[in-house]
Amino acid sequence: MFSFHTMTEVTIWTGITVIVLLLATTQSNPIPVAGSFIQQLFTSRRIFLHLAAVLAILLVNRMELWLEEIIPAQPDFTPAIYQLEGDLVASIQHFFEHPALTSLSTFFYVVVFQAVMIVSIALYIYQKQYKLFYAVCYALIINYVVAIPFYLFFPVFEAWSFHPDVRLLILDSFPTFEQTYRSLSGLDNCFPSLHTSLSVTMAVIALKSGNRFWGWFASLTAAFIIFSIFYMGIHWVTDAVAGSVLGVSASLIALRISQGRASSPVRTFVRPWKGSSLGE
């Protein structure tokens, strides 16, 4: 089924998935959706600044691995997680293991996961659901702000790297995963699971959109990704529980914060013309 060898392939499949999801969600040509997003990005100061803030926190997340190298070594909490869970992840993996499921899980983990976030942002802007757009931005920031300190000071290693009976199944469909994707997340960046928290966040916000297809798709995607992180031997169940709590909390807080933002007019950049002043 699906097989990846480079991040270029992942990017191409992500683009295709975004187009398909926009088509299915809007029931119309996805080109106007992309056009609306680009237009709003360059004409709305508020939208631009919110997206810039999201990109900034993603940059901070990329710097987390560098920060790990300069701060004092922290105690390894993986044995405590293993003592709590035992062979639960290994049992899940051995019971369900199948090449087709491995391929599908890989596709959702590296492609659909990020496609859902991209579609969420583009869709809410296109449909002028600014409250939901702002909520996505705030929730993304909250997720990373909470998770990064845990990665720095509460290191937990991925299940496959600690448990002798758990294998990193994603390598069967993405052989270069450790060389190409690993730079996005450290081996000990397990607790809480950001794949879980961000997927749950997108699902909670999607359920508020009024779009039945999108609400159901985002919810089912979150459920399948949570299963996949165990199945592929990446995360512990404890990571997913913490990630779920973080995802729900972040989305609810973000929706509350965005309530007031969305009630105000969207500020736009206006080109001065015939003596007019620059708008807010």
Side-chain angles (χ1 to χ4, degrees), residues 34-111:
S36 174
F37 170 76
I38 295 173
Q39 180 185 22
Q40 292 273 25
L41 180 62
F42 286 101
T43 60
S44 170
R45 178 184 303 171
R46 184 175 291 177
I47 288 176
F48 176 82
L49 291 176
H50 278 77
L51 288 176
V54 170
L55 292 177
I57 196 64
L58 293 177
L59 179 61
V60 171
N61 182 59
R62 291 294 299 272
M63 293 174 59
E64 183 270 331
L65 295 179
W66 172 74
L67 290 173
E68 280 191 19
E69 297 178 359
I70 63 175
I71 64 174
Q74 304 298 311
D76 180 6
F77 290 90
T78 316
I81 299 294
Y82 174 68
Q83 185 175 11
L84 176 67
E85 296 189 17
D87 298 328
L88 183 56
V89 171
S91 299
I92 293 173
Q93 184 176 87
H94 296 162
F95 182 81
F96 289 101
E97 186 171 355
H98 189 279
L101 183 56
T102 299
S103 180
L104 186 62
S105 296
T106 301
F107 186 78
F108 269 75
Y109 187 86
V110 302
V111 171

Side-chain angles (χ1 to χ4, degrees), residues 7 38 96 100 114 150 154 168 189 194 224 239 242 267:
M7 285 303 294
I38 295 173
F96 289 101
Q114 57 191 13
F150 278 98
F154 192 84
L168 185 59
N189 292 172
L194 271 177
F224 187 72
D239 304 332
R267 299 177 181 178

Side-chain angles (χ1 to χ4, degrees), residues 3-238:
S3 180
F4 305 100
H5 295 85
T6 67
M7 285 303 294
T8 300
E9 294 176 358
V10 172
T11 302
I12 292 172
W13 273 106
T14 300
I16 293 172
T17 304
V18 167
I19 292 172
V20 171
L21 288 178
L22 285 175
L23 179 62
T25 305
T26 63
Q27 297 293 303
S28 61
N29 189 336
I31 294 179
V33 182
S36 174
F37 170 76
I38 295 173
Q39 180 185 22
Q40 292 273 25
L41 180 62
F42 286 101
T43 60
S44 170
R45 178 184 303 171
R46 184 175 291 177
I47 288 176
F48 176 82
L49 291 176
H50 278 77
L51 288 176
V54 170
L55 292 177
I57 196 64
L58 293 177
L59 179 61
V60 171
N61 182 59
R62 291 294 299 272
M63 293 174 59
E64 183 270 331
L65 295 179
W66 172 74
L67 290 173
E68 280 191 19
E69 297 178 359
I70 63 175
I71 64 174
Q74 304 298 311
D76 180 6
F77 290 90
T78 316
I81 299 294
Y82 174 68
Q83 185 175 11
L84 176 67
E85 296 189 17
D87 298 328
L88 183 56
V89 171
S91 299
I92 293 173
Q93 184 176 87
H94 296 162
F95 182 81
F96 289 101
E97 186 171 355
H98 189 279
L101 183 56
T102 299
S103 180
L104 186 62
S105 296
T106 301
F107 186 78
F108 269 75
Y109 187 86
V110 302
V111 171
V112 180
F113 168 72
Q114 57 191 13
V116 167
M117 289 188 283
I118 295 171
V119 171
S120 293
I121 291 173
L123 178 66
Y124 302 146
I125 290 178
Y126 174 69
Q127 295 183 337
K128 294 182 171 54
Q129 293 182 300
Y130 297 117
K131 171 186 172 182
L132 300 185
F133 163 71
Y134 297 137
V136 167
C137 294
Y138 298 143
L140 286 172
I141 293 170
I142 292 170
N143 272 285
Y144 280 102
V145 167
V146 172
I148 289 174
F150 278 98
Y151 296 160
L152 290 173
F153 304 109
F154 192 84
V156 175
F157 283 83
E158 294 180 1
W160 68 273
S161 68
F162 184 87
H163 197 297
D165 294 326
V166 175
R167 191 164 67 89
L168 185 59
L169 290 181
I170 197 171
L171 296 179
D172 293 353
S173 296
F174 196 168
T176 61
F177 176 82
E178 287 295 287
Q179 293 75 41
T180 59
Y181 199 90
R182 175 56 65 190
S183 62
L184 302 176
S185 178
L187 191 61
D188 60 353
N189 292 172
C190 250
F191 182 93
S193 165
L194 271 177
H195 262 73
T196 296
S197 68
L198 295 178
S199 296
V200 169
T201 292
M202 294 304 109
V204 171
I205 296 175
L207 289 170
K208 299 288 186 179
S209 69
N211 188 313
R212 294 185 64 184
F213 168 79
W214 186 235
W216 275 105
F217 182 83
S219 299
L220 292 174
T221 294
F224 187 72
I225 286 177
I226 292 173
F227 164 78
S228 296
I229 63 175
F230 310 142
Y231 170 74
M232 292 191 296
I234 299 174
H235 281 281
W236 305 91
V237 173
T238 306

